Amino acid sequence: MTADKPLRADARRNRDALVAKAREVFAAGGYDLRFDDFAQLAGVGTGTLYRHFPTREALAEAVYQEEITAICARADELRATLPGADALAAFLRGLVDYLFSNEGLARTLAAVMATRDEAMAEGGRAMHRAVADLLAAAVADGGIRDDIGAAAVLMAMHGIFVAHGEPAGRDQAGEVLTLVLDGLRAR
């Protein structure tokens, strides 16, 4: 399926139903579900499944891309409606909340996407742009120091995400994020 050619309305609905159902299944830890069963669960034919997603990995990639797109859109929304430092803090806190609210989905997508180098790189670039734009707005407002880049912030977030499996992970993640945000403040 080429990205250049828009889908007919019914084809778009079918594709969206497949992605939505896959998101639910992945969130519940059901990645190993027989691939053809995704079609039945989404209420479409098997041919429709394979026409849109020839492999389970392609379906997972579509879910991943939609998740990244939604997260980055949230960054844009916050940047447009809040002062820079507040937008950055809200975005980063939202990422932590997202991780804990969607732990099964995050784990499944991380495992699957580890083999999808270009999709991971594209998602990483989108996240980097979102954080860089938030940082730039916060620096312009004078609320955040100008000597820390998006890569460092994302590295700190990665550390929080890696450590999230601990029993007190959510509370500790919030505390570590507070440290990160305090360290970013302009002095």
Side-chain angles (χ1 to χ4, degrees), residues 72 75-76 79 91 125-135:
C72 292
D76 291 341
R79 200 175 72 250
F91 179 74
R125 287 188 296 270
M127 287 294 291
H128 188 275
R129 278 190 305 275
V131 171
D133 290 347
L134 286 164
L135 277 171

Side-chain angles (χ1 to χ4, degrees), residues 103-186:
E103 186 174 351
L105 179 63
R107 286 182 190 273
T108 300
L109 291 178
V112 176
M113 295 308 295
T115 64
R116 309 290 278 194
D117 292 340
E118 183 51 37
M120 284 294 285
E122 185 178 321
R125 287 188 296 270
M127 287 294 291
H128 188 275
R129 278 190 305 275
V131 171
D133 290 347
L134 286 164
L135 277 171
V139 167
D141 286 353
I144 297 293
R145 15 187 309 195
D146 64 0
D147 62 337
I148 305 293
V153 172
L154 288 169
M155 183 181 289
M157 295 306 292
H158 179 73
I160 291 170
F161 295 161
V162 168
H164 83 278
E166 297 298 316
R170 187 176 197 121
D171 292 337
Q172 290 171 346
E175 292 170 5
V176 173
L177 183 55
T178 297
L179 288 172
V180 169
L181 291 169
D182 285 347
L184 288 171
R185 281 201 186 101

Side-chain angles (χ1 to χ4, degrees), residues 84-97:
D86 293 342
L88 178 65
F91 179 74
L92 296 179
R93 290 196 187 286
L95 279 180
V96 171
D97 288 343

